[in-house]
């Protein structure tokens, strides 16, 4: 796998019902490990919240952004509030797929939209864990697939995967889209990329992965003397997949623009929230202020964390990470680290960057099982405690 492009698109894989059942059976250990780690996080959160006089269910389903998603599900778009500092917060900032699913599920069941959001998030998180297992298995073997799903469950901000937020849903759609690219199922990749684009602004990263991988694949075919039409025939569904991929993201962006009366309407809505992109200037200034102020230790920890993220990305690419994963992960990190706004959200914004964990998962797969599971268990315990502390404190806005 030293060549990113050649590792990106093997021959097309076909699936039938028995193959899907077999794949689910292979993924069962990963799904059980993932569910156990996330259950540990919820149990620790419940105990911590009870001791703190708070309700764990409310923290997961009806705080921060979850309230905005629920309001969209119940009332649609159009709600705006003006803060005392003059910031204008519009619910047009929130992409529609999660509230659509909340509305649909609550209409078909006794669940409230908030509880429907939890069901969607928990179900999607298992789907994401399955996709991560499938990716790890394909690239490094079954043990790496299990480790990848478990590590993603145990990241410090893993509790967000269990909240009525859109990160779990987005990661599931993105990971399955990229897996479809890896297995040559371009039309499925395009559909899933379009749905990911209806889930979060970072859906653009999935589109970029599909487009760039397709372009590199065709360029390599042309370099080998294959005509474009013949190359497209050798990769069934590539053209429809490429055309479908941006529809969700572009559709919502253009709809908000039309509603706001400006092509850049969505960017203006995000600006009202204090969000936007400045090349990382605001984030760099924030880190420097921490390092040069009375909270030097916090600033140092933040700088080390950013450095570790960068190292993991570069290390994965140098080890031959397939092109769609490298493009997707790099774009997610770029969008997260160059955005201004509330800096406490950055760990959550990087949560979908699961390819960062692939080198760690591959390394753990080479260890004796007892040692790898001790490391994963200790990491899961730390994640559970941090998640409970975080949600009972400032929480993820």
């Amino acid at each position: 796998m030293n060549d990113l492009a050649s590792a990106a698109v093997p021959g097309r894989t076909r699936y039938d019902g028995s193959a899907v059942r077999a794949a689910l059976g292979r993924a069962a250990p990963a799904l059980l490990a993932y569910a156990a780690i996330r259950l540990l996080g919820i149990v620790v959160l419940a105990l911590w919240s009870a001791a703190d006089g708070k309700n764990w269910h409310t923290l997961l389903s009806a705080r921060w952004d979850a309230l905005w998603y629920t309001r969209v599900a119940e009332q649609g778009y159009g709600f705006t509030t003006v803060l005392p500092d003059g910031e204008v917060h519009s619910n047009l900032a929130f992409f529609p797929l999660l509230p659509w699913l909340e509305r649909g599920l609550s209409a078909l069941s006794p669940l409230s939209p908030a509880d429907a959001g939890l069901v969607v998030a928990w179900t999607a998180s298992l789907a994401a864990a399955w996709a991560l297992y499938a990716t790890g298995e394909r690239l490094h073997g079954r043990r790496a697939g299990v480790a990848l799903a478990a590590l993603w469950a145990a990241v410090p901000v893993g509790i967000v995967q269990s909240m009525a937020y859109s990160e779990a849903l987005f990661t599931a759609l993105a990971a399955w889209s990229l897996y479809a690219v890896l297995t040559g199922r371009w039309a499925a990749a395009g559909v899933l990329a379009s749905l990911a684009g209806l889930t979060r602004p970072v859906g653009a990263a999935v589109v970029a992965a599909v487009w760039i991988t397709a372009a590199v694949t065709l360029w390599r075919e042309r370099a080998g003397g294959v005509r474009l039409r013949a190359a497209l025939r050798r990769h069934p569904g590539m053209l429809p997949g490429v055309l479908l991929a941006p529809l969700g993201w572009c559709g919502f962006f253009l709809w908000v623009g039309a509603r706001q009366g400006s092509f850049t309407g969505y960017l203006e809505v995000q600006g009202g929230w204090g969000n936007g992109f400045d090349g990382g200037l605001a984030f760099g200034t924030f880190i420097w202020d921490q390092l040069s102020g009375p909270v030097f230790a916090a600033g140092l920890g933040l700088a080390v964390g950013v450095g570790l993220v960068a190292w993991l990305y570069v290390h994965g690419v140098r080890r031959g990470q397939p092109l769609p994963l490298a493009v997707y992960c790099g774009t997610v990190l770029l969008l997260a680290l160059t955005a201004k706004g509330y800096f406490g959200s950055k760990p959550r914004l990087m949560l979908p960057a699961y390819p960062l964990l692939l080198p760690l998962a591959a390394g753990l797969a080479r260890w004796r099982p007892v040692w790898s599971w001790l490391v994963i268990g200790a990491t899961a315990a730390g994640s559970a405690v941090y998640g409970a502390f975080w949600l009972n404190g400032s929480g993820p806005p």
Side-chain angles (χ1 to χ4, degrees):
M1 289 192 305
N2 291 325
D3 190 310
L4 295 180
S6 63
V9 189
R12 187 166 184 255
T13 304
R14 295 181 180 274
Y15 295 97
D16 55 24
S18 61
V20 171
R21 288 191 294 272
L24 181 57
R26 292 197 308 274
L31 297 181
L32 289 173
Y34 177 86
I37 293 171
R38 293 295 351 116
L39 179 61
L40 173 64
I42 293 174
V43 169
V44 172
L45 173 66
L47 294 174
W48 192 303
S49 301
D52 206 33
K54 297 177 182 177
N55 185 291
W56 67 272
H57 178 268
T58 300
L59 291 175
L60 292 178
S61 65
R63 293 288 302 277
W64 304 292
D65 287 4
L67 290 173
W68 287 87
Y69 284 118
T70 299
R71 185 176 285 115
V72 173
E74 293 175 337
Q75 304 171 12
Y77 286 104
F79 177 82
T80 299
T81 183
V82 180
L83 273 60
D85 63 2
E87 286 191 351
V88 179
H89 289 188
S90 166
N91 64 2
L92 289 169
F94 295 87
F95 276 53
L97 186 57
L98 176 58
W100 283 350
L101 293 175
E102 289 178 342
R103 180 185 299 175
L105 185 56
S106 62
L108 297 173
S109 71
L111 295 172
S112 68
D115 286 334
L118 281 183
V119 171
V120 170
W122 293 356
T123 304
S125 68
L126 286 170
W130 186 4
L132 268 59
Y133 167 78
T135 302
E137 178 195 38
R138 184 174 185 86
L139 298 177
H140 301 291
R142 294 189 64 182
R143 289 186 58 194
V146 175
L148 181 60
L151 285 173
W152 190 64
V155 295
V157 293
I159 191 65
V160 175
Q161 300 164 24
S162 302
M163 299 178 67
Y165 271 43
S166 60
E167 276 77 8
L169 178 61
F170 173 78
T171 304
L173 293 168
W176 279 116
S177 177
L178 298 179
Y179 184 76
V181 173
L182 289 172
T183 54
R185 299 163 63 224
W186 289 97
V191 171
L192 291 165
S194 185
L195 291 173
L198 283 172
T199 308
R200 293 190 59 78
V202 75
V206 191
V207 178
V210 173
W211 278 13
I212 293 176
T213 305
V216 170
T217 302
L218 293 177
W219 177 81
R220 289 173 59 85
E221 295 278 14
R222 290 283 292 164
V226 180
R227 292 179 178 272
L228 179 60
R229 185 173 297 180
L232 289 173
R233 285 199 299 268
R234 292 177 63 170
H235 299 278
M238 177 181 283
L239 183 58
V242 167
L243 295 176
L244 287 168
L247 293 184
W249 190 90
C250 290
F252 185 68
F253 186 92
L254 293 174
W255 178 79
V256 173
R259 188 181 176 108
Q260 296 294 99
S262 169
F263 178 75
T264 58
Y266 183 77
L267 300 179
E268 293 163 8
V269 168
Q270 286 284 6
W273 282 78
N275 297 326
F277 297 95
D278 61 0
L281 178 62
F283 187 41
T285 301
F286 175 77
I287 295 177
W288 175 253
D289 289 343
Q290 301 291 304
L291 289 171
S292 58
V295 286
F296 173 80
L300 181 62
L302 184 57
V304 170
V306 173
L308 177 61
V309 166
W311 180 84
L312 284 173
Y313 177 71
V314 172
H315 182 64
V317 171
R318 293 183 65 181
R319 284 175 57 89
Q321 194 165 95
L323 181 61
L325 299 183
V327 171
Y328 164 78
C329 188
T331 307
V332 171
L333 296 178
L334 180 67
L335 294 175
L337 295 176
T338 61
K340 57 183 179 180
Y342 182 69
F343 301 114
S345 295
K346 291 196 180 293
R348 175 172 65 86
L349 297 178
M350 291 188 286
L351 184 60
Y354 67 89
L356 286 176
L357 303 173
L358 262 172
L360 300 178
L364 286 175
R366 294 190 292 269
W367 290 14
R368 293 180 58 185
V370 63
W371 291 112
S372 60
W373 282 109
L374 278 174
V375 170
I376 292 173
T379 305
S383 172
V385 172
Y386 179 74
F389 166 78
W390 197 36
L391 290 198
N392 279 280
S394 61

